[in-house]
Amino acid sequence: MLLRTFGWSFGVTVVGLVAALIFWGWEGFAIVAILSILEISLSFDNAVVNAGVLKKMNAFWQKIFLTIGILIAVFGMRLVFPVVIVAITAGVGPIEAVELALDEPDQYEQMVTDAHPSIAAFGGMFLLMIFLNFVFEEREHKWLPWLERPLSKLGKIDAAAVGVALAALLLTATTVAHKAYQHGGHYADKTDTVLLAGVAGVLTYLVVAGLSGYFEDRLEEEEEREHEAEEAAQRAGRQPSAVGVAGKAAFFLFLYLEVLDASFSFDGVIGAFAITNHIFWMALGLGIGAMYVRSLTVYLVREGTLDEYRYLEHGAHYAIGVLAVILLISIRWHINEVITGVSGVALIGLSFWSSVRANRADGAAGSSGGSEEKPAVPSGV
């Protein structure tokens, strides 16, 4: 099971590191390895959240996520995305941007750094919407009841998540964006840029998540009708089909996953410039890391880990909330990538530990036969 799920990741790692060693020597080998570890540490919460969406998709779309999806993740976000940023900010074509990255790496890095406020605003608001919609939803299991109970009540108000997100954007634009960090330690007023990019992030979430939810509901309705008509259809020599609806639902869930992955990758791409400005080293190292994130997502789905460890999704979404805040703060102040990675891993680790405790308590209660009333098990950390 482990080899079948992570086999491609292991193979890409070997090929990538060997290629780095052949073409760029030990320096390239070391930097590619470091970038791979950086991407994995920053994106573990991404894998957990992705698994929550991917488990709703069939085996075919899981394969699409691992094949076409990884091409988008590696070549789209880890290679093309930085080039597009430079092309837009410098007003040059993509070919000229690649030449700039190869011939003038310092200038290339400067342009990407100067574009960071808009990137952080877009990604931060998209991730903040994911976090808010999670904590505002009423759930059977509550990891931090003292916080999640009042938030779930607040979530009953229409468009509560949008209102809170826009308030956070307004606060960021008025307190942080007017003195946004630029290359070389300079600052510039990026209020308008941050507002525009932040609103675009919220709108992107609403469109993609809204379409995903709509077609997912259609799929569930179709599956119910299919179950009711199954016996009659078999007698008639045909099977009721929900392929069209399933295809649409899966497509928009796939699109949602790709936008989600893109938002998670912002901090990894920007953070990679603290290590190197060589675009091929970045693409190779971050691409290897992205492979492991994809494989880990599928592993979590196939093993049913999210169902077994009830608070794991909670920890991942709280990590998303922290990452969203860090992205917004980073518009003005540089946040070390170690803080981002450690905070996410710590929250997921705590949620895993809480899940283990809760499972043990449930097992102990079950073995007692329920003859005695047991005290409530605290779900929080």
Side-chain angles (χ1 to χ4, degrees), residues 38-246:
L38 171 69
E39 177 70 6
I40 295 172
S41 64
L42 291 177
S43 301
F44 189 82
D45 48 353
N46 187 9
V48 177
V49 176
N50 281 354
V53 180
L54 193 65
K55 68 181 181 181
K56 303 173 184 177
M57 302 163 70
N58 59 27
F60 170 78
W61 279 99
Q62 289 181 12
K63 291 180 180 178
I64 294 293
F65 176 72
L66 274 177
T67 53
I68 298 176
I70 195 63
L71 292 176
I72 296 174
V74 174
F75 295 102
M77 286 307 303
R78 276 73 179 182
L79 180 60
V80 177
F81 173 65
V83 172
V84 170
I85 292 175
V86 173
I88 294 175
T89 56
V92 298
I95 297 178
E96 290 84 351
V98 173
E99 293 176 349
L100 185 65
L102 295 175
D103 301 332
E104 301 289 341
D106 292 336
Q107 185 179 354
Y108 174 81
E109 178 184 356
Q110 175 182 343
M111 291 179 175
V112 175
T113 302
D114 291 346
H116 175 69
S118 58
I119 299 170
F122 180 92
M125 295 309 299
F126 187 90
L127 294 177
L128 184 61
M129 285 294 298
I130 294 174
F131 168 72
L132 291 175
N133 276 285
F134 180 85
V135 296
F136 283 170
E137 184 178 342
E138 180 65 38
R139 297 182 177 278
E140 178 184 359
H141 300 296
K142 293 178 174 60
W143 183 34
L144 304 176
W146 56 271
L147 177 62
E148 293 169 17
R149 284 198 182 101
L151 287 178
S152 63
K153 294 179 180 179
L154 179 62
K156 296 178 180 178
I157 301 175
D158 292 339
V162 176
V164 173
L166 292 178
L169 176 61
L170 184 61
L171 179 64
T172 301
T174 55
T175 61
V176 176
H178 71 281
K179 196 175 181 182
Y181 180 80
Q182 301 288 272
H183 187 269
H186 303 291
Y187 295 89
D189 187 353
K190 295 288 185 178
T191 301
D192 294 342
T193 300
V194 167
L195 281 173
L196 182 61
V199 170
V202 173
L203 288 176
T204 300
Y205 174 84
L206 292 176
V207 171
V208 178
L211 289 173
S212 299
Y214 169 75
F215 284 105
E216 185 182 349
D217 291 341
R218 289 282 304 276
L219 175 59
E220 291 177 357
E221 293 173 1
E222 187 69 20
E223 286 176 344
E224 290 179 1
R225 289 194 295 268
E226 178 181 303
H227 179 72
E228 294 172 356
E230 185 177 9
E231 292 184 0
Q234 288 177 348
R235 287 193 297 269
R238 59 182 177 82
Q239 288 284 348
S241 176
V243 174
V245 178

Side-chain angles (χ1 to χ4, degrees), residues 11 24 59 72 94 137 152-153 170 173 194 213 217 220 227 232 263 269 279 295 311 313 320 330-331 362:
W24 302 295
I72 296 174
E137 184 178 342
S152 63
K153 294 179 180 179
L170 184 61
V194 167
D217 291 341
E220 291 177 357
H227 179 72
S263 298
V269 172
I279 60 171
S295 297
Y311 303 126
E313 278 191 278
I320 288 177
S330 69
I331 293 173
D362 289 347

Side-chain angles (χ1 to χ4, degrees), residues 270-283:
I270 298 302
F273 280 101
I275 299 174
T276 181
N277 50 22
H278 194 297
I279 60 171
F280 295 120
W281 291 359
M282 289 174 56

